[in-house]
Amino acid sequence: MIDPALIQSVIRVLFAVVIITAAYIISTRNLSTLVSAYAFQSLTLVFMALALWSLEDAPILLAIAIITFISKVLIIPYFITTIQERIRIKRDIEFHFLSPTTSLLLSMGLILFIYIALSNILKDTAARESLFFFGAVIGLSLMLMGMMVTFSRKRAITKVLGYLSMENGVLLFGMFVTELPFIIEFLIVIDLIILVMLTTILSVGLDSTLEEYHDRLHRFHLVEDTEEGS
Amino acid sequence: MIQETLFVIALLVFVAGILIPLATASRDQRIFRIVSHGCTVIGSAALGILALLVLLTGDGLSWTLYQPLPGCSLSVTIDRLAAFFLLLIAAVSACVALYTAEYVEHLEGGSRRNLLCACTNLFILAMALVVVSANTFAFLIFWELMAGCSFLLVMYDYAGPETRKAGIFYFVMTQLSTLFVLLGIVLLYGQTGSFAFTRTGVSLIATLAFIALLIGFSIKAGIIPFHKWLPYAHPASPTPISALMSGVMLKIAVYGLLRFLLDVFSPDLWWGILILILGIVSAVLGIIYALKEYDIKAMLAYSSIENTGIIFTGIGLYVIFASSGQPVIATISLLGALFHALNHAMFKSLLFLTAGSVVHATHTRDIEHMGGLVHRMPCTSALFFVGALAIAALPPLNGFASEILIFISFFSSVAVADPLFKVFLFLCLGLFALTSALSAACFVKAFGSIFLALPRSPESSRAQEVPFLMLLGPALLASACIVLGLFAAQLFLLVGLSVPIPDMFLVGLLLLAMAFLTFAVLYFTASREVRVTGTWGCGTPSLKPAMEYSGHGFSEPIEIIFSTVYRTEMKNERKFFDAKNCIFAEGTADIRLMKIFEEYLYLPVARFSYLAATKISRFQNGCLDTYLLYVFCAVIAIIVYLGWLA
Amino acid sequence: MILAAFIVTALAALGLIAVSRTHRQMNSICIGEAAVFLGLEIWLLLSGQIPVLSLVLGNQYFFIDHLGLYEALIASIIFLLAAIYARGYVDNLLESRELGRGSLKLFYVAWAFLLALIVFAFFSDNLALFWIFTELTTVVSAILIAILYARDNIDAAIKYIFIASVSMLFSFVGLIFLFQISRSTFDPGTLNWTVLMQQAPAFPAGMMLAAFALLFIGFAAKSGIFPFHTWLPEAHVRAPSAVSALLSGVLLNVGIYGIIRIFALVHRTTAVSTVSILLLVFGLLTVGIAAISMLPQKKLKKLIAFSSIENMGLILVGLAIATPVAIFWTLFHVMAHSFTKAGLFFSAGILHRQYHSPLSADAVDDMHDVFRFQPVAAWGIILGGLAIIGMPLFPVFLSKLFILTQLFTVSLPALVLLLVLLFIAAASFGYYVISTFTQVSQPGPDAHDIVAYKTPAGMQWPIIILIVMIFILGTVFTSGETGFLNTIVAELMF
Amino acid sequence: MSLSFIIYLVINTLVVLAIAPLFVSIIKKVKAWTQGRQGPSLFQTYFNLAKLVKKETIYSAHSSWIMRITPLVSIAAILVAALFVPLVFVPEPVGGIGNIILLLYLLALAKFFMALAGLDAGSSFGGMGSSREMSISAIIEPTTIIVFAALAFVFKTLNVFTMFSASVASGTTSTPTLILLAISLFIILIVETSRIPVDNPETHLELTMIHEGMILEQSGPNLALMELSSAVKLTLLMALLINLIVPFGLSTTLTLGALVLAIVLFALKGTILAGIIGLFESSMAKMRFFRLPSLFAMAFFFSTLIIIIEVFA
């Protein structure tokens, strides 16, 4: 058995890593780096789940780690990369509302803000002192940072990554509430995968011309045959 | 027992009148419409008999029609007030139905006319049910039903160019009226905890409820400044509908106000003053605007505004006297208001129906294009003449009989209130007198321009008298006008009310006697030679229609005298040859009457709301990023709220 | 097991669609699925054995109580009618090549799946399960929106997915909070609504508030509450009208259902006063923004969509009042709104087919001679419009009236504000309908001849049925109906 | 209806018919004197009427039954109105006869018909006359009603008969209020009977005529009736003024002596008032039509002032 204090500090380090990857996702312009950053963030979460597993010895955490690894580190990044290659988009340099620097500064503010807000909310509860609190702070911050990506980037595919980053925040938070039934976690992941696939496919539709889009749909075997556009 | 039976019969007959044309909506056959109108007449007759029974015996009827939910039932209570209005509805509806049976056949629209019949029946039924509603819940339901039906009826000729504007005005104003009535009823419900017409004490909520209801009913009654829908809706809708709306629906609003004033509120003095001011202002402005109208139906609509103003004046006086401890005068004012409501229903529907006949015959609503119809449509002109006499409040017809009651209460008011208040009432009296004099001028103009002198357009020189049924309905109304006028005093005695109204029958007899004696004397003494020749035209060989005094010319002096009220606007546009504006090139000058309320009240409000709405709807700018930003901001706001405020 | 029957039906439907070849077959399967669902629900209703608890395994994931059954009934009825309607509608879409023939199977699979998902969402006891089903409905309905052969549709679907999913993530955080609350109160923690309801009075107010607010974000986005409503007008405008009817009549209810459930929880704690204010504010803002946005609308479906938002706001206000009477009428309003709105969208769909209005949300409709071409649809719009603005004899009138009377007990200014906003909404609706339906072209040689679209009877009957239904709903109240609604209120412990 | 009332009906009508043309002549005579002319005979109006009755009636081809019944209605309405103002004998009021509002509206009835008759033939003079007449009568109406209301207030009754009885009972001592009211009544009389400065009854100049314009198309016996009715209207308004201010001699009991005395006294008082009217007219110039509203506003202001004084006193 490893020393709980050590694990707790490891977890804290992982928190920092997660936040850093999130910041990277916010500010980078290169799409393939973006996907890598996301995969790395998910990997961090896997490690975090493992660390928590060793701390609390709940088998569900191990399961979460495995599912996360398979879906978020392997399948989804692979899928998005494939799509990216097909639509030949490399960079997303248009920003809406926020420039990368402002986003970074803002996200720092957000973390602080959520910390204060949550400590106010959880003032009188037992949850205030536990890891639950940290999980909540980091999870929510991650969500809001991911959300900043969704509304400040032009390309739909970047938005998807922002959304995924948000989802990571939820997962991070969820890991600290271990008794959540496993089936729920499992279904959520399935749901997520479907959602991501659909969104990505649709994003392709937005980011390319209609004819190409239907052509691709055909190649994905989503529709049986293609007709000429009206 | 007989009351219940009559009521059920009326209800069933009306329902039949609604369903028969609806079921046959696809078939454009006259027989179904006749049956439907027959149902209206029979149903109205049953209602009328019921109302008379209740009025004479005082034995009311109280009955629950249908109880959808506990606590709110569609119940019926017919007391004397309800019976009075029921009588009004029944009388007008029956006559209008007789008229419509013929009129509808001359309308365009094929089988849409079946819908018109069905909807008319529903409209009448809804009005009757509003009046007999035993609680505010039923009142509200039937009120809305009435509003909905009347809206559909106004939109009958939906393709007409003016109908769109009329429809929008009517719809919006109706909804506004509903808003206020609903607010009032909700407030009362909150106050008393039930939908019954129960008396509330004096409280802020009760006052607010009263204000809300007053505004709601004022809108429906066409009280200035909420009147604007009337002059649009009436010309746009088919004639019988105008007659029903003007003759009956406005009275339903009056009924609503009275019902709440009498049964629910304990009125304060200033309520009365408020109602009185609304009434007087509507009466004066209504008739002043009527004078400048050349669209016959719009003119009648404005005249309706005036008459509702008179009714409101009576109600205002009632509240004033009732709250200052003068029950006798209060009763006179109330009876005046009620009687005027009845009389106005009679003569205004008479006027609308005959005006409809005229429009039917001449294919125009502009009185400047009519003229000379007295020779071509003698019966219609005689009927219109009776209506004009009545509405101008000339003895011995009914318009005078009710106005004199209000005059009497005005006259007796001086002895009772405090000095300043007396002066106020005197000023109101002066304005009230002005109103009735102007309405005489207005109807001289109307009758003169429409029926007298030479035809001013080819259509009106080719006009033909309308068929029998289109004369029968108005004729019944005209005889009602005469009977209600001549026997006013006797009728009041019959229902057991003593009012200081002159014996108009006696006056009528005297008038007849004098006329007869004069005729007799002249017959025996005077020359009986008669020569028919051209009108003297200062030596011009023949009189042209263009030489006649026109309706515009007739009301010109009054327009000049009241020019401050009419607010004409002069526009000069000049163009010059040179830059320094010295050499005049060409220009246009244009004087037009401003529609004050429309231009300063309605349109600015509409424009402002539209502008604001356009601004706000830019919120929905079609950009996903913005939408997500909203979500982001909302989330932040919620977290702030949770962290610091909650 | 009744649930198994539902599952089997849904799977059978999906399987049959997968093997069927023609449009007619697929459509009939969807009709059949909805009919079977409806039949099962009616059987449940009549058998009187609700609430059905413990449907799956030891851990109780599913249950059927009155509220769930109520919502499921509404959903099944609308699905049934929409499927009947869709046959003619989709035929025309295919003819005009707005829908690729290849996408047909995807469309019907999504359709059948959506019904199953929605019904299972209503039958979930576990809130997390409910969350998942709700999330899946977003996905599936987005497919239905995006199915048309136009970029605008994809755009609308993307908006829908992003806004709904992003907000739903916050909901999930709320669920975690809720779970944490339950875990700190009793062991082991659970997300089962029935259990939570038992334990709710012991929950700490502050945490409960946070949980509610976060959950509210997601469900509000699903039900089109300001400021999360932005997806709604665009999705409703661009989706095929049969789908618009589903979105408005059924899918919005899913979000509202979630809000009702968690509000019932909060109502048992001391946080209720704060939450009520929150709901009231959001409700009024929603009604306000919707009503004002309706005013300058030049597009029928967008107008109807905004009207849905307005009604959702009204429902929120009704919930915020939180008296049993208010809840009763709020539930009634949910049903009234669903049926009325479905009728309106069906009618709008016929007009859409007739005039081929551009899909783009900002394009102006060009309608004229509606009564000549499409009398049924025109009357559907008129009567449906009268119903939705709250004319009596229609159910919305009653729910509106009683929500207003109950609102008076809470706040007079809110009452006045709400009335004014409802007036604006009604006026906007009337303004649009009057100014559009009175457009008549003069028949003549120079008039550009528009060919009357021969509306199949299958597209007209659902409108007529719905109008008759709402008329009956607004006038006839059986003791069974009121008893049923009262049971729901009692089960929600208001 | 008592016998005395029926006798009253007969006496009042006969007296007013007999005396009305005389007053018209007197005014004309006084005006002629002030202009330094001798003027027509005092019986000239009677002669005129007699002459007109013997002449043929000419109708315009465009005119209708309105034109034909107007003279009858007009004279009937004004004669009935005259019944409301007892000239020489005040009986008990019966059935609202004597109601001051009804009196006013009977006059309006006559005016309504006259205005229509003016429009009937399609002559532009007639139309102009009607238009002006209705405008003037509309804007004088507030003043009239205020004055009548003041009368009703002072005498605490709406009935002219009762007013006269009260006036007789209180003797000749008129209160200051009554004198002020009399001035208002005088203005109303001037306006209602179309006299200078409102209208000039003497001319047929198209720019000035109002009343004459309306009856321009009347001829023969019809014209006689119109002339007679306007004379009767003048008389009854004069009688209202006289019997309120100087009621002495007005009989309240039905005896022959009192009646004869009352007739003589009334003729005397009427002659004096007619003289005053004549003098008043001579001292004035006809006003421009559109300046009339300010005159009426003055009258209205004046009457209201009286009432306010009375009210606050």
Side-chain angles (χ1 to χ4, degrees), chain A residues 191-208:
Chain A
D191 161 50
L192 185 75
I193 291 171
I194 299 174
L195 195 67
V196 167
M197 283 176 67
L198 179 70
T199 322
T200 321
I201 291 165
L202 290 177
S203 320
V204 175
L206 272 193
D207 290 341
S208 58

Side-chain angles (χ1 to χ4, degrees), chain C residues 215-430:
Chain C
L215 279 164
F216 175 74
I217 294 173
F219 296 137
K222 282 296 284 183
S223 52
I225 300 296
F226 172 87
F228 315 107
H229 68 281
T230 40
W231 64 271
L232 195 148
E234 316 209 353
H236 282 59
V237 171
R238 289 162 189 177
S241 290
V243 177
S244 306
L246 296 185
L247 289 180
S248 193
V250 182
L251 215 58
L252 296 183
N253 288 356
V254 178
I256 286 294
Y257 172 85
I259 295 175
I260 294 176
R261 286 274 187 219
I262 48 172
F263 184 64
L265 278 178
V266 177
H267 190 257
R268 309 259 295 149
T269 70
T270 51
V272 65
S273 54
T274 326
V275 166
S276 284
I277 295 170
L278 194 76
L279 283 182
L280 189 63
V281 169
F282 271 100
L284 287 176
L285 276 174
T286 308
V287 179
I289 205 87
I292 294 172
S293 302
M294 278 168 83
L295 197 52
Q297 285 313 326
K298 298 266 181 289
K299 201 165 170 63
L300 182 57
K301 281 178 82 176
K302 200 164 181 185
L303 189 79
I304 303 174
F306 271 116
S307 155
S308 291
I309 300 175
E310 175 223 330
N311 279 284
M312 291 302 122
L314 187 63
I315 289 172
L316 221 53
V317 171
L319 279 178
I321 302 164
T323 56
V325 180
I327 299 294
F328 178 95
W329 286 106
T330 305
L331 291 168
F332 186 74
H333 190 84
V334 168
M335 169 169 64
H337 168 253
S338 292
F339 291 147
T340 316
K341 210 32 85 61
L344 278 172
F345 271 116
F346 288 162
S347 314
I350 294 182
L351 293 181
H352 190 269
R353 289 297 88 205
Q354 169 70 55
Y355 299 102
H356 291 284
S357 321
L359 272 175
S360 160
D362 301 317
V364 179
D365 288 344
D366 173 31
M367 293 187 194
H368 51 89
D369 302 291
V370 278
F371 290 100
R372 186 146 61 92
F373 291 128
Q374 300 296 346
V376 174
W379 280 104
I381 294 279
I382 290 174
L383 291 178
L386 288 177
I388 204 75
I389 65 173
M391 279 285 164
L393 303 190
F394 292 115
V396 172
F397 168 77
L398 291 170
S399 45
K400 208 171 93 175
L401 173 67
F402 284 97
I403 289 174
L404 287 171
T405 51
Q406 292 297 314
L407 184 58
F408 174 67
T409 59
V410 178
S411 155
L412 180 58
L415 168 66
V416 175
L417 180 65
L418 185 62
L419 261 177
V420 171
L421 292 174
L422 289 177
F423 159 69
I424 294 176
S428 319
F429 209 104

Side-chain angles (χ1 to χ4, degrees), chain B residues 20 27 77 133 151 237 241 340 403 524 526 633:
Chain B
I20 290 171
R27 277 190 285 172
T77 297
S133 299
F151 168 69
S237 43
I241 305 310
H340 196 73
E403 280 197 25
F524 290 115
C633 294

Side-chain angles (χ1 to χ4, degrees), chain A residues 179-225:
Chain A
E179 282 95 344
L180 271 184
F182 173 71
I183 185 164
I184 303 286
E185 295 280 350
F186 187 70
L187 282 175
I188 288 172
V189 168
I190 292 179
D191 161 50
L192 185 75
I193 291 171
I194 299 174
L195 195 67
V196 167
M197 283 176 67
L198 179 70
T199 322
T200 321
I201 291 165
L202 290 177
S203 320
V204 175
L206 272 193
D207 290 341
S208 58
T209 63
L210 265 184
E211 285 69 26
E212 284 175 332
Y213 172 57
H214 277 264
D215 209 31
R216 285 205 192 86
L217 289 188
H218 180 56
R219 258 184 275 147
F220 292 146
H221 304 288
L222 273 170
V223 292
E224 283 161 3
D225 52 12

Side-chain angles (χ1 to χ4, degrees), chain D:
Chain D
M1 204 186 290
S2 63
L3 182 65
S4 73
F5 191 76
I6 292 172
I7 294 172
Y8 161 77
L9 294 181
V10 177
I11 291 175
N12 207 57
T13 312
L14 288 180
V15 170
V16 79
L17 280 174
I19 215 162
L22 180 66
F23 288 163
V24 174
S25 303
I26 290 171
I27 295 175
K28 280 187 183 154
K29 193 84 180 169
V30 171
K31 281 169 80 175
W33 282 343
T34 54
Q35 289 160 2
R37 293 186 285 119
Q38 193 178 2
S41 144
L42 279 181
F43 299 98
Q44 186 60 46
T45 316
Y46 295 99
F47 299 151
N48 282 350
L49 290 175
K51 175 192 74 183
L52 285 172
V53 164
K54 288 295 166 203
K55 293 219 166 206
E56 65 173 353
T57 316
I58 302 174
Y59 291 118
S60 158
H62 308 310
S63 64
S64 63
W65 49 269
I66 293 282
M67 191 66 139
R68 288 160 176 79
I69 66 163
T70 295
L72 276 178
V73 173
S74 168
I75 190 77
I78 286 185
L79 281 178
V80 173
L83 292 177
F84 283 45
V85 185
L87 265 58
V88 291
F89 167 58
V90 189
E92 281 296 306
V94 171
I97 300 288
N99 187 305
I100 198 162
I101 306 164
L102 187 49
L103 163 66
L104 199 60
Y105 274 84
L106 282 170
L107 297 182
L109 178 65
K111 205 179 303 180
F112 189 84
F113 271 87
M114 259 192 261
L116 282 180
L119 287 168
D120 197 13
S123 144
S124 38
F125 296 114
M128 188 186 66
S130 304
S131 156
R132 294 184 165 184
E133 175 79 8
M134 291 318 282
S135 311
I136 286 177
S137 74
I139 50 179
I140 194 63
E141 191 80 3
T143 317
T144 317
I145 209 83
I146 291 277
V147 173
F148 281 17
L151 282 178
F153 176 49
V154 172
F155 289 101
K156 309 271 184 288
T157 174
L158 278 172
N159 198 299
V160 181
F161 291 19
T162 326
M163 284 181 199
F164 285 1
S165 305
S167 175
V168 171
S170 68
T172 53
T173 52
S174 313
T175 59
T177 319
L178 268 188
I179 293 169
L180 287 171
L181 276 177
I183 298 172
S184 296
L185 269 179
F186 187 76
I187 296 174
I188 291 165
L189 181 136
I190 295 289
V191 178
E192 285 283 331
T193 54
S194 317
R195 314 234 133 241
I196 288 176
V198 175
D199 185 9
N200 190 349
E202 312 281 293
T203 79
H204 283 164
L205 277 174
E206 59 183 273
L207 289 179
T208 58
M209 63 184 177
I210 299 177
H211 179 78
E212 291 298 318
M214 279 198 295
I215 59 172
L216 202 61
E217 284 294 319
Q218 304 283 3
S219 55
N222 284 347
L223 183 59
L225 288 181
M226 299 303 273
E227 297 280 0
L228 187 61
S229 60
S230 78
V232 171
K233 186 171 167 186
L234 172 71
T235 313
L236 81 92
L237 285 169
M238 282 166 70
L240 187 65
L241 188 56
I242 291 167
N243 285 344
L244 282 174
I245 310 298
V246 278
F248 66 91
L250 187 58
S251 150
T252 49
T253 50
L254 188 61
T255 56
L256 194 60
L259 213 59
V260 173
L261 181 68
I263 292 174
V264 173
L265 277 175
F266 179 75
L268 211 63
K269 287 183 277 187
T271 309
I272 295 168
L273 182 58
I276 294 172
I277 294 171
L279 286 174
F280 180 81
E281 275 203 274
S282 307
S283 62
M284 289 271 177
K286 161 91 176 68
M287 260 187 168
R288 259 183 62 211
F289 181 75
F290 287 113
R291 283 189 56 203
L292 288 176
S294 54
L295 176 74
F296 294 172
M298 282 282 291
F300 182 75
F301 177 73
F302 190 69
S303 320
T304 322
L305 198 68
I306 294 164
I307 287 153
I308 291 172
I309 291 167
E310 186 57 37
V311 161
F312 282 106

Side-chain angles (χ1 to χ4, degrees), chain A residues 22-75:
Chain A
Y24 194 67
I25 291 176
I26 287 186
S27 54
T28 189
R29 292 161 197 247
N30 192 323
L31 280 183
S32 58
T33 338
L34 210 56
V35 180
S36 317
Y38 169 71
F40 185 67
Q41 193 181 51
S42 308
L43 196 62
T44 321
L45 290 186
V46 173
F47 286 131
M48 203 177 281
L50 289 174
L52 275 173
W53 171 63
S54 63
L55 192 67
E56 301 189 9
D57 200 25
I60 190 166
L61 284 168
L62 189 60
I64 288 177
I66 295 167
I67 293 177
T68 311
F69 186 74
I70 294 172
S71 63
K72 293 193 174 176
V73 183
L74 298 179
I75 299 179

Side-chain angles (χ1 to χ4, degrees), chain A residues 33 81 112 143 145 166 180 187:
Chain A
T33 338
T81 319
L112 207 63
M143 283 178 77
M145 285 164 79
M166 284 181 77
L180 271 184
L187 282 175

